[in-house]
C-alpha cells in the first residue's frame, strides 16, 4: 500500500472532525484477511492499532509478524469479530482490546483467563444498536449491567462501546443509530467516569457521519487496504 493512502485517510479523519467540531478519532486499521506483509508495511508507516475478526487468524498473523521488519514495533491488537466463549482463553492472552463483549459469560471467561501479570484487557461492549436479529451484540438496555460486571473485574478495563448500525445503502440513514450509541456511551461515561473514553463506530463508507455523532475510534479496512482477498487455507 502506498504511504500516501494512510496519510490521506488520516487527513480525511482530521477534516471530518474539524468540520463537525469533534476531536480527531483514533484509526483502527481493519486487517482481517490481510497478510502479514500488508500489516507490517502499514505498521512501518506509523499505524499501530489493528483489528482482527478471528482469533486463530490473528494468532497466525502474530507468529508470522515475528519475521517481518515491523517485528520490534509495539503494535496494538483489537478483536472486532464475534468471540465464542471457548476461544476466550486464547483471546485474553493474544489481544490488547476485545471490542465485542456482549454477554456476562464472556466477561467472566476473559477475566478468568487474563494473565494477572499483564495489563488489564481493554474491553468494549458490543451493542446491537438497531436490534437486528442477524447481528451480535447486547440490547441497549442491557449495556449498563454488562458495564458494571466488566468494571468489577480487576483484570478487565471497561473502555466504552462498539456498534455496527444497519448497513443502509444510504449511509446518512445510519445517523440515528450513531446518535443513539453516543447517548448510551455518554450515560456509561457519567456512571463509570473518565476510563470510559472509547466509542468505536464508523467504517470506510460512513466514518464522517460517525465522527459527527461522536465516534472516538473508527474502523477502516477497505479504504486502507483495498478490497479484501481472503488468504488461501
Amino acid at each position: 500500500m502506498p504511504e500516501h493512502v494512510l496519510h490521506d485517510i488520516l487527513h480525511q479523519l482530521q477534516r471530518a472532525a474539524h468540520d463537525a467540531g469533534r476531536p480527531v478519532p483514533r484509526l483502527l486499521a481493519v486487517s482481517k484477511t490481510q497478510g502479514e506483509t500488508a500489516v507490517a508495511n502499514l505498521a512501518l508507516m506509523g499505524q499501530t492499532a489493528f483489528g482482527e475478526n478471528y482469533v486463530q487468524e490473528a494468532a497466525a498473523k502474530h507468529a508470522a509478524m515475528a519475521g517481518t521488519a515491523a517485528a520490534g514495533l509495539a503494535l496494538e491488537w483489537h478483536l472486532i469479530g464475534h468471540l465464542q466463549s471457548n476461544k476466550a482463553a486464547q483471546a485474553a492472552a493474544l489481544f490488547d482490546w476485545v471490542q465485542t463483549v456482549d454477554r456476562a459469560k464472556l466477561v467472566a471467561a476473559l477475566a478468568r483467563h487474563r494473565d494477572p501479570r499483564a495489563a488489564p484487557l481493554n474491553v468494549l461492549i458490543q451493542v446491537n444498536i438497531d436490534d437486528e436479529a442477524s447481528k451480535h451484540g447486547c440490547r441497549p438496555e442491557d449495556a449498563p449491567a454488562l458495564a458494571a460486571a466488566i468494571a468489577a473485574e480487576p483484570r478487565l478495563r471497561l473502555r466504552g462501546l462498539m456498534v455496527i448500525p444497519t448497513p443502509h445503502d444510504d449511509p446518512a440513514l445510519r445517523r440515528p443509530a450513531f446518535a443513539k450509541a453516543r447517548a448510551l456511551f455518554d450515560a456509561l461515561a457519567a456512571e463509570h467516569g473518565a476510563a470510559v473514553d472509547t466509542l468505536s463506530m464508523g467504517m470506510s463508507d460512513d466514518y464522517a457521519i460517525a465522527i459527527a455523532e461522536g465516534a472516538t475510534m473508527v474502523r477502516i479496512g477497505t479504504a486502507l487496504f483495498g478490497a479484501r482477498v481472503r488468504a488461501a487455507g
Side-chain angles (χ1 to χ4, degrees), residues 84-229:
Q84 297 175 324
S85 297
N86 63 3
K87 298 286 181 64
Q90 193 175 8
L94 188 63
F95 291 95
D96 303 292
W97 292 65
V98 174
Q99 296 202 14
T100 52
V101 172
D102 59 2
R103 57 202 186 279
K105 181 180 180 181
L106 196 53
V107 173
L110 288 170
R112 183 169 65 253
H113 292 294
R114 184 68 170 182
D115 188 338
R117 297 167 295 181
L121 179 65
N122 296 292
V123 170
L124 299 183
I125 299 169
Q126 182 177 3
V127 177
N128 187 350
I129 201 67
D130 284 324
D131 195 24
E132 292 181 85
S134 61
K135 279 231 179 91
H136 296 291
C138 72
R139 296 178 301 175
E141 58 267 33
D142 293 335
L146 198 54
I150 295 165
E153 295 286 357
R155 298 183 192 178
L156 306 181
R157 184 181 177 195
L158 175 66
R159 297 296 295 269
L161 302 177
M162 185 271 261
V163 299
I164 306 172
T166 301
H168 296 292
D169 290 339
D170 180 358
L173 296 177
R174 304 172 202 173
R175 185 180 292 272
F178 289 142
K180 184 178 179 181
R182 176 58 191 245
L184 182 57
F185 171 79
D186 286 345
L188 287 184
E191 176 70 21
H192 295 279
V196 176
D197 59 3
T198 303
L199 179 55
S200 174
M201 62 184 190
M203 295 183 281
S204 292
D205 65 341
D206 61 10
Y207 63 80
I209 299 169
I211 291 169
E213 293 298 336
T216 69
M217 178 183 291
V218 295
R219 309 181 303 272
I220 296 181
T222 302
L224 277 172
F225 295 105
R228 295 189 185 96
V229 178

Side-chain angles (χ1 to χ4, degrees), residues 27-52:
L27 171 62
L28 181 68
V30 177
S31 51
K32 63 181 182 180
T33 76
Q34 301 294 333
E36 65 274 5
T37 300
V39 174
N41 288 342
L42 197 57
L44 291 170
M45 296 175 197
Q47 175 63 27
T48 58
F50 293 89
E52 293 287 328

Side-chain angles (χ1 to χ4, degrees), residues 1-7 10 40-47 73:
M1 183 192 73
E3 189 168 358
H4 73 81
V5 174
L6 175 60
H7 291 165
L10 293 173
N41 288 342
L42 197 57
L44 291 170
M45 296 175 197
Q47 175 63 27
L73 299 179

